[in-house]
Amino acid sequence: MTDAARPVEQSVPAAAPASLRRIMVPIVVFAGLAIAPWIAQFGTESFILSLLTRVMVLGLAALSLDLLIGYAGLVSFGQAAFIGIGAYAVGILASHGINGIALQTAAALAASAIFAAITGAISLRTRGVYFIMITLAFGQMLFFLATSLAAYGGDDGMTLPSRSLFLGYDLLDSDRALYYVAFVTLGLVYLACRMLVASRFGRVLRGARQNPVRMQAIGFSPYRYQLVLYIIAGMIAALAGVLLANTSEFVSPATMSWQRSGDLIFMVVLGGMGSLHGAILGAIVFLLAEEVLAGFTEHWHIIFGPLLILCVLYIRGGITPLIERTRP
Amino acid sequence: MPLSLFLVQMLNGLQFGLILFLIAAGLTLVFGVMDFINLAHGVQYMVGAYLAAMFTALTGNFLFGLLLALPTALAFGLFLEVLIFRKLYERDHLDQVLATFGVIITLNEAVKILWGAAPLSVPVPEILSGSIPLIGGLRYPIYRIAIIVAGLAVGLLLYILVNRTKVGMLVRAGASNAPMVAALGVNIRLLFTFVFGFGAMLAGFAGAMVTPILSVEPGMGDNVLILAFVVIVIGGIGSVRGAFLAALLIGVVDTLGRFMAPMLLSAILDPSTASQTGRAIAPMLIYVLMAVTLCIRPAGLFPAKR
């Protein structure tokens, strides 16, 4: 798991270009996303915009998971549950006539923080595989709760009456506006996370990942830091859920299926753990590959599954370190 | 509540618990001995069910179908072990989770291509059809009794195998300290291949046994896999005894919960709210049970590692 961080510090002479490339990756990714709508108008605009909005939304969720996996070594297999909380906050409130995005977002953040605090307090008492299984089980718990909510569509889910309103205006009805809302959200959260992992808080977490006993010996309690991080990651994923519900205008238990959690882990590992922009890159590659393969055959999983296995077996460390290591 | 109805639900819970045990036993041993987390274990259950359905249709006899499905499931499990899993033992848990997740995606789709997305059904074998009377005029299907008997028999067999034979001793030793066992000159790889194949066959057996009462469909292994995880977390990873007790506990709590939660709530709520809330709460019970267990004993009820 430490592989992702290691190659960067290795060669001293190449340090300058390597660090330059490290900044270049996020800049290129965000610049590309910023101008994509302009390019999209030459193609099937609504399709490209909705695909890329989904990419950014799931990239946001993958980013939250990278905080846990890449910086704290906490492999959560239940991150999709938080996307579900965000999506259902929009869906449930909208079905009661509350359409304002501010209120919906506030509800999503509050609900996800509470759920993260409770499940995190229990899950973080365990280590390693136990943690993976418990987060998976809590995710399933929420999934089954959602399927039993008959008033809100149960198994089938529910279609939103409309997209969320911004201060009473239907600004988000334009695909392009929604795209830029997702873009700005992703950008701001990315910068906030950058600051978070560089802060003392982030250094404590990385220290705890490398040597929890030593961190305790010098007076830190990793548990509290990890719990706070778990809550932050949950809230970011819930934010992604709010956006996802607006993108698809549909909410269903499938939003938080355990396969979705697995997909998110794959995005993080594919992009390269512990770099933040790697998770976004992973989401881009993942969803575009999915789209391309689905264009070939309806049984695209039969190609995708083996690709996933091969990636795990042979591309260690993910895409981002590959780019950063490549000499021009 | 009528006692006979309660009895029926208890038997259903027992039957469900024993199926879970068949799956969890292999999972807990594989994890205990090799520290290998295998999400694709649920796929073995699905493969067992499909093989049994196919062979039953081919031979026209459920027993023959079952007897053919078992060695095929075993062979398939060993094939996956050699092809993919063997490369993962030295990797960290994250890689293991992802690669076996890839195996699930692939096989769920492969099954869909081979047998179609529509659920298959297998008739209850002639000799085990019908039902027997319980107290209070209710009847209970013989086939479900047969599952209970088969599950208990396998449980007993496993108990003898693990606790009374030399291989079992090595497996127990491997679960509590694998490097030490290897240092003592035991071929731990071979031992593991044995455990893995046996676990895969047990999961396949569970899948084959449920074909007459559940529909056989792609993805049927995913949910039982997660329940099997809950079972081995509660039971303590690496412990067959823990898996047995936890599986029965989960089976009974889940079945009774779905049945009783709406009923108990109707005492304090109006009927429609009670049934809705009950149905919402019931599926969460086992996860709450798991959370409580972990609060009290973070390593499960019967941890194999010290």
Side-chain angles (χ1 to χ4, degrees):
Chain A
M1 285 213 276
T2 47
D3 288 12
R6 217 174 282 145
V8 183
E9 296 104 41
Q10 271 173 0
S11 47
V12 181
S19 68
L20 188 67
R21 271 198 294 271
R22 222 165 24 164
I23 308 169
M24 283 310 286
V25 173
I27 289 177
V28 168
V29 166
F30 277 102
L33 287 171
I35 59 164
W38 181 77
I39 299 170
Q41 63 186 336
F42 300 112
T44 40
E45 185 174 358
S46 65
F47 167 76
I48 297 175
L49 280 184
S50 81
L51 173 65
L52 287 180
T53 311
R54 249 169 61 80
V55 165
M56 289 190 295
V57 167
L58 290 177
L60 186 61
L63 183 73
S64 76
L65 189 60
D66 191 27
L67 281 179
L68 293 175
I69 298 182
Y71 292 90
L74 299 168
V75 181
S76 166
F77 210 134
Q79 201 65 4
F82 294 101
I83 302 182
I85 291 178
Y88 267 87
V90 173
I92 290 176
L93 287 178
S95 76
H96 291 289
I98 301 169
N99 285 320
I101 187 124
L103 212 58
Q104 289 173 342
T105 309
L109 293 179
S112 58
I114 294 169
F115 185 72
I118 296 171
T119 59
I122 297 167
S123 313
L124 286 168
R125 286 167 52 91
T126 63
R127 285 283 150 266
V129 171
Y130 278 95
F131 184 79
I132 299 177
M133 292 189 199
I134 286 158
T135 46
L136 176 61
F138 279 130
Q140 281 303 99
M141 184 176 97
L142 216 59
F143 175 83
F144 285 117
L145 178 67
T147 58
S148 66
L149 290 176
Y152 304 107
D155 264 330
D156 303 326
M158 55 178 161
T159 308
L160 298 187
S162 71
R163 281 185 181 162
S164 303
L165 302 180
F166 183 76
L167 298 175
Y169 296 100
D170 52 358
L171 289 179
L172 297 181
D173 274 3
S174 140
D175 287 340
R176 201 171 264 220
L178 187 64
Y179 179 94
Y180 278 111
V181 168
F183 176 77
V184 170
T185 310
L186 181 65
L188 291 178
V189 171
Y190 173 76
L191 289 176
C193 288
R194 271 262 84 87
M195 276 148 66
L196 185 76
V197 298
S199 69
R200 175 175 171 280
F201 177 80
R203 290 203 305 276
V204 171
L205 283 165
R206 266 176 292 167
R209 184 184 108 175
Q210 283 165 12
N211 195 334
V213 178
R214 188 173 291 177
M215 285 310 283
Q216 275 171 332
I218 59 172
F220 290 100
S221 158
Y223 180 83
R224 290 215 304 266
Y225 287 83
Q226 285 169 346
L227 186 58
V228 171
L229 184 75
Y230 191 76
I231 295 172
I232 293 174
M235 290 168 79
I236 296 175
L239 200 57
V242 171
L243 291 169
L244 189 67
N246 274 297
T247 311
S248 49
E249 296 181 59
F250 177 70
V251 175
S252 81
T255 321
M256 52 176 116
S257 70
W258 72 285
Q259 285 91 343
R260 169 64 61 69
S261 293
D263 290 348
L264 288 176
I265 298 182
F266 185 41
M267 290 173 199
V268 171
V269 172
L270 182 67
M273 288 176 288
S275 65
L276 294 179
H277 48 264
I280 302 170
L281 202 58
I284 295 174
V285 174
F286 181 99
L287 288 167
L288 293 186
E290 189 179 280
E291 202 59 44
V292 169
L293 288 178
F296 284 133
T297 160
E298 63 166 313
H299 297 295
W300 56 277
H301 277 118
I302 202 81
I303 309 166
F304 196 73
L307 275 182
L308 198 168
I309 300 170
L310 290 174
C311 282
V312 176
L313 289 179
Y314 300 108
I315 307 182
R316 306 194 63 176
I319 302 170
T320 311
L322 279 183
I323 300 172
E324 285 167 4
R325 247 178 296 168
T326 318
R327 315 237 154 174
Chain B
M1 177 180 39
L3 185 67
S4 53
L5 207 57
F6 181 74
L7 189 65
V8 166
Q9 295 299 332
M10 277 299 280
L11 284 172
N12 279 343
L14 187 64
Q15 176 248 305
F16 181 46
L18 285 165
I19 291 291
L20 281 182
F21 167 66
L22 291 177
I23 301 159
L27 198 62
T28 201
L29 282 176
V30 165
F31 189 78
V33 178
M34 279 318 262
D35 203 25
F36 173 57
I37 176 167
N38 181 15
L39 294 190
H41 197 70
V43 163
Q44 286 292 337
Y45 166 86
M46 177 181 74
V47 167
Y50 269 98
L51 289 172
M54 180 182 75
F55 285 127
T56 304
L58 282 179
T59 60
N61 183 321
F62 180 72
L63 189 67
F64 288 154
L66 184 65
L67 288 178
L68 285 171
L70 283 185
T72 321
L74 173 72
F76 186 71
L78 292 177
F79 167 72
L80 285 183
E81 204 260 344
V82 172
L83 187 70
I84 300 166
F85 300 153
R86 201 164 270 194
K87 299 184 174 71
L88 292 166
Y89 299 151
E90 308 300 324
R91 299 295 192 83
D92 59 33
H93 290 141
L94 182 59
D95 284 354
Q96 296 173 351
V97 163
L98 261 186
T100 52
F101 178 64
V103 173
I104 297 182
I105 293 180
T106 312
L107 289 180
N108 277 346
E109 198 64 39
V111 155
K112 218 180 274 180
I113 293 172
L114 283 175
W115 285 285
L120 307 179
S121 65
V122 173
V124 176
E126 198 75 31
I127 192 169
L128 296 173
S129 60
S131 55
I132 54 163
L134 294 174
I135 46 167
L138 277 173
R139 302 178 69 83
Y140 198 72
I142 295 177
Y143 189 77
R144 284 180 186 262
I145 303 263
I147 293 184
I148 294 176
V149 172
L152 288 174
V154 172
L156 185 68
L157 183 79
L158 257 181
Y159 176 79
I160 295 171
L161 204 62
V162 170
N163 290 302
R164 294 277 182 272
T165 64
K166 181 149 184 277
V167 174
M169 187 185 72
L170 291 175
V171 169
R172 274 180 294 139
S176 78
N177 193 338
M180 185 59 86
V181 178
L184 291 171
V186 175
N187 185 342
I188 199 101
R189 271 292 154 84
L190 191 68
L191 179 73
F192 179 64
T193 306
F194 170 80
V195 170
F196 189 91
F198 194 71
M201 194 175 68
L202 282 184
F205 177 63
M209 285 301 285
V210 299
T211 50
I213 54 172
L214 294 178
S215 58
V216 180
E217 56 192 344
M220 67 186 284
D222 299 357
N223 286 331
V224 291
L225 169 84
I226 292 161
L227 290 178
F229 274 152
V230 173
V231 165
I232 71 172
V233 165
I234 290 181
I237 289 176
S239 161
V240 177
R241 184 172 56 141
F244 184 75
L245 292 174
L248 293 190
L249 186 69
I250 292 291
V252 169
V253 166
D254 192 52
T255 311
L256 281 188
R258 278 165 206 276
F259 169 67
M260 285 172 61
M263 216 151 55
L264 291 179
L265 283 170
S266 66
I268 43 169
L269 296 166
D270 68 277
S272 77
T273 328
S275 95
Q276 215 182 68
T277 329
R279 262 182 293 140
I281 291 175
M284 296 167 66
L285 278 180
I286 53 171
Y287 301 107
V288 174
L289 188 70
M290 180 189 72
V292 171
T293 312
L294 285 170
C295 272
I296 304 165
R297 301 183 68 127
L301 296 177
F302 302 97
K305 282 191 166 62
R306 311 256 161 252

